[in-house]
């Protein structure tokens, strides 16, 4: 018999931006979106050795809470993606890691985005309003340099001490005006 856990969501936050120019040059409508939920930390305040059982129990639900809404918010085909967990100060960074480094979570976002590669991630403990820089990479080929970038997200009143912000990030393309050599070209 599996663990049954009800996630407690305080709020959902969506952010979408369209980049039209960079360094005085036009950009063909790069869209970047992130969707986050602020949840009550489902892990006990005291140390517990097994975080995996609970993370498995909530992984699909949590993935569904942020992955498909992020893709929908983007409103374009996803080319790059990433994920993040920002844990309030009465929690452990490992709590956030357990939630987002879980295939039950990640596969929901990957499926919605049409991706099949590793979801780059950021996780840390922070105060309300703390920013977190989320790495994103190409959804099919993590060596596609044009898509390596970070997206900063911040929620003014989160995470509170017993909360975790869990976010999915997506982009419709790579960096504006990307022009680096292909992966490995400098050593060829």
């Amino acid at each position: 018999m599996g663990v049954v856990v009800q996630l407690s969501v305080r709020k959902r936050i969506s952010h979408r931006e369209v980049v039209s120019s960079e360094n005085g040059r036009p950009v063909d409508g790069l869209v970047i979106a992130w969707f986050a939920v602020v949840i009550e930390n489902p892990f006990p305040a005291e140390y517990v050795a097994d975080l995996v059982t609970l993370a498995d129990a909530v992984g699909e639900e949590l993935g569904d809470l942020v992955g498909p809404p992020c893709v929908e918010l983007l409103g374009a085909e996803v080319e790059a993606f990433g994920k993040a967990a920002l844990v309030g100060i009465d929690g452990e960074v490992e709590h956030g890691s357990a939630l987002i480094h879980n295939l039950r979570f990640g596969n929901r976002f990957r499926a919605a985005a049409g991706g099949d590669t590793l979801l780059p991630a950021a996780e840390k403990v922070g105060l309300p309003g703390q920013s977190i820089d989320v790495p994103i990479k190409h959804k099919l080929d993590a060596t596609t340099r044009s898509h390596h970038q970070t997206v900063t997200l911040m929620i003014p009143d989160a995470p509170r001490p017993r909360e975790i912000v869990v976010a999915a990030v997506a982009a419709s393309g790579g960096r504006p005006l990307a022009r680096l050599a292909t992966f490995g070209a400098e050593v060829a």
Side-chain angles (χ1 to χ4, degrees):
M1 187 165 136
V3 173
V4 177
V5 177
Q6 180 68 38
L7 288 176
S8 177
V9 178
R10 179 166 68 89
K11 65 197 275 183
R12 293 165 174 80
I13 304 92
S14 59
H15 173 87
R16 183 178 192 270
E17 59 187 69
V18 179
V19 180
S20 299
S21 71
E22 179 80 8
N23 200 19
R25 295 184 174 270
V27 172
D28 190 22
L30 170 65
V31 183
I32 300 170
W34 56 265
F35 192 92
V37 291
V38 180
I39 61 171
E40 181 180 319
N41 188 334
F43 297 102
E46 69 279 353
Y47 175 86
V48 292
D50 177 17
L51 301 180
V52 173
T53 300
L54 191 145
D56 284 350
V58 301
E60 291 176 357
E61 178 185 1
L62 192 54
D64 285 339
L65 281 172
V66 297
C70 181
V71 172
E72 184 177 335
L73 179 64
L74 187 70
E77 183 173 346
V78 176
E79 285 192 22
F81 57 16
K83 61 188 176 183
L86 180 57
V87 181
I89 59 171
D90 285 345
E92 302 173 36
V93 71
E94 194 69 359
H95 294 163
S97 295
L99 293 176
I100 66 171
H101 294 296
N102 178 299
L103 287 176
R104 289 182 168 96
F105 169 84
N107 284 345
R108 297 299 199 175
F109 187 22
R110 263 187 290 279
D116 65 7
T117 192
L118 179 76
L119 276 159
E123 60 269 12
K124 68 180 186 179
V125 173
L127 297 168
Q130 181 83 50
S131 65
I132 187 165
D133 293 327
V134 186
I136 63 174
K137 293 189 178 188
H138 196 281
K139 70 177 184 178
L140 300 175
D141 181 2
T143 65
T144 303
R145 280 188 173 161
S146 59
H147 288 58
H148 293 193
Q149 59 183 314
T150 57
V151 174
T152 301
L153 63 92
M154 188 267 302
I155 302 165
D157 70 340
R160 293 176 180 165
R162 285 294 303 153
E163 291 181 335
I164 301 176
V165 174
V166 176
V169 179
S172 66
R175 294 183 311 277
L177 310 179
R179 53 196 183 274
L180 297 181
T182 59
F183 183 76
E186 66 276 11
V187 294

